[in-house]
Amino acid sequence: MQELPFPLRLQRRAGPTLRAHVAREAFRILGLLTGDVAAVLCLKALVRGVRDARWFGVGAGEIAGTVLPPGLLFPFEFLAAVITGLLIVGAYRPGDMRRDAARLFAGTALGLALIFWGRIWTAGWEYSAVSYLLAVGVVGSVIVLERSAIDAMVRRHRAVGVRLARVLVVGPADDARWAMRQMALRDSSYALIGYLDTGPHPEWDALGEISDLARVIERHRIETVILSGAFDRDTAAGLINLVDSAGCEALSMPHAVSAGFVPRVVWYRGVPLVRLTRPDLRASQLAVKRAFDVIAALAGLVVLSPLYLVIAATVRVSSPGPAIFRQVRVGRGGRQFSIYKFRSMTRDAESRRGEVELQNVYGDERLFKAAHDPRMTKLGAILRRTSLDELPQLWNVLRGDMSLVGPRPPLPTEVARYEEHQYARFEMKPGLTGPWQVGGRNTITRFEDVIRLETDYMRHWHLGKDLAILLRTLPVVMKMDGAH
């Protein structure tokens, strides 16, 4: 029997390839839905145990009853609301959308709004608003953690090589090799088969040249083709048409977006343009960061209010002076503001700073901390080691002076000694914690290393990075790494 021409053979395999893509997509969505349902049901069982069975005491039960009161967690309505919110914001779409913490919190907030709307008219808007914000923080955090667990399972699933899309990269040798080294292809649902070299003389490690595309797709059962590098218009059109005829998914990996910028396709009169925007400068991202700060700071102030009263009373009793210490710091754009802390030093500590300047552990005038500061009270030493003295800064976060995560705010006298490139740390609001604290805290003593950590954080900012830093902050504080 005469062998079919390549175009017909590719068209015949297009059906199975498309079915494989559909099955893989359905499996992905089903996995996310299953995980979300399981997470919400587990949260429901946990809240009921804490609220009704008093697993962690009466106080915890009352807090749980305030955040998610009885009658609020009807399984079907609650699940339907949360999943509807996640669907609307696109949290089930492919790519990074499933793990985008900002999107997950937004979807949770939207879904819970459907639940809490009716309570505004029965319980009062003030009480309902606080309950709503706390519920969004709790449920959103659970969804983010659940999606992180799913990502870990996907990575383990990938190691076994099951249900992976077989990928071919097409482009000049250097561009194709660059694409194959990217984490997007190394840490996902792709199985890299190799690359085709579009240069005049294919390199030794290539599977062939551009004219071999149809044969390579058939021989290696390729399901996804990624174009990397520059192509002229006619060549690109021919490649995409051939890939589409074979039922393969076509993706492009341009180098222009490799410097920490986010691409967005914008259509103008039928022509697609790629808008490149740095994440930390996008108004929508800043709005999400601010919303997260407000929700978390408000929840922290409410939940920790008994601890605040105990610490404040103990500070007043232990040494003369106010419980709260205020100091001028420099924030975003060079604006000065008053930072709040529980007082950990004697009342006249500011006037005695000259006594300890030679004890600076950093050896740099732009950073200052004394390892054995004689101005420190006994209680203050404990507050410093445990970082409890920083808790009043949640009020700074709520006011908008600070963020939960960001560069630490310096003193005006320190800023006066900055070099020009070091002012980059004022591009974002200062944070209660940040990359410096979790990256080494006081063990990082070179100011340039601090600037490097903070600049890298700002250039590649996303809400998931804030959540990761917050999760890493707790064990750092518990171990008191580098604390003085």
Side-chain angles (χ1 to χ4, degrees), residues 220-243:
H220 294 280
R221 306 188 311 281
I222 300 299
E223 296 170 306
T224 299
V225 175
I226 295 179
L227 307 183
S228 178
F231 296 87
D232 63 69
R233 184 173 56 187
D234 293 337
T235 301
L239 287 173
I240 294 172
N241 285 333
L242 193 151
V243 169

Side-chain angles (χ1 to χ4, degrees), residues 26-342:
F27 182 79
R28 182 187 65 78
I29 295 175
L30 180 62
L32 294 177
L33 281 171
T34 302
D36 292 342
V37 170
V40 172
L41 291 180
C42 287
L43 175 63
K44 179 180 182 297
L46 177 63
V47 170
R48 178 174 291 176
V50 175
R51 185 186 62 207
D52 301 337
R54 308 299 188 187
W55 288 351
F56 300 109
V58 176
E62 292 176 351
I63 293 173
T66 300
V67 178
L68 297 171
L72 183 66
L73 294 180
F74 292 115
F76 177 77
E77 291 88 342
F78 193 72
L79 276 172
V82 173
I83 291 175
T84 298
L86 294 174
L87 278 170
I88 291 173
V89 301
Y92 293 99
R93 295 176 186 172
D96 286 338
M97 290 186 176
R98 73 165 182 261
R99 62 178 68 90
D100 183 353
R103 192 178 299 273
L104 296 176
F105 270 102
T108 302
L110 183 59
L112 290 182
L114 302 174
I115 298 291
F116 277 84
W117 176 251
R119 301 189 66 225
I120 293 177
W121 313 107
T122 57
W125 73 269
E126 300 94 341
Y127 174 77
S128 299
V130 173
S131 297
Y132 169 71
L133 292 175
L134 292 175
V136 169
V138 172
V139 179
S141 298
V142 169
I143 296 294
V144 170
L145 291 174
E146 169 254 319
R147 293 294 181 96
S148 298
I150 289 178
D151 266 354
M153 294 174 61
V154 168
R155 286 193 292 271
R156 185 174 179 180
H157 190 69
R158 169 186 169 80
V160 187
V162 181
R163 288 187 178 273
L164 301 182
R166 299 172 65 82
V167 172
L168 175 71
V169 179
V170 179
D174 290 341
D175 294 323
R177 290 169 182 153
W178 172 86
M180 295 173 69
R181 290 194 301 268
Q182 301 310 302
M183 190 59 68
L185 302 186
R186 294 288 179 185
D187 186 23
S188 63
S189 301
Y190 293 131
L192 278 170
I193 304 303
Y195 78 94
L196 289 183
D197 188 357
T198 58
H201 304 290
E203 294 286 341
W204 63 272
D205 57 342
L207 296 178
E209 55 188 357
I210 194 168
S211 60
D212 298 319
L213 178 60
R215 292 181 179 84
V216 170
I217 287 177
E218 182 185 37
R219 183 184 309 131
H220 294 280
R221 306 188 311 281
I222 300 299
E223 296 170 306
T224 299
V225 175
I226 295 179
L227 307 183
S228 178
F231 296 87
D232 63 69
R233 184 173 56 187
D234 293 337
T235 301
L239 287 173
I240 294 172
N241 285 333
L242 193 151
V243 169
D244 184 67
S245 297
C248 296
E249 178 185 33
L251 299 174
S252 176
M253 185 180 284
H255 283 202
V257 298
S258 62
F261 287 73
V262 175
R264 293 288 185 274
V265 176
V266 181
W267 288 84
Y268 287 105
R269 298 188 178 274
V271 177
L273 301 178
V274 178
R275 173 184 292 159
L276 303 177
T277 310
R278 202 169 75 199
D280 58 291
L281 295 182
R282 291 177 57 220
S284 59
Q285 293 283 48
L286 290 174
V288 169
K289 183 175 173 69
R290 178 60 184 153
F292 176 72
D293 285 341
V294 170
I295 292 171
L298 185 60
L301 288 169
V302 171
V303 173
L304 298 175
S305 56
L307 180 60
Y308 277 69
L309 294 175
V310 171
I311 295 176
T314 307
V315 171
R316 288 295 304 270
V317 171
S318 65
S319 64
I324 300 296
F325 170 72
R326 293 193 300 177
Q327 189 178 51
V328 175
R329 295 293 181 96
V330 181
R332 185 182 182 189
R335 296 181 180 88
Q336 296 187 359
F337 67 97
S338 293
I339 196 173
Y340 297 92
K341 293 185 177 185
F342 284 120

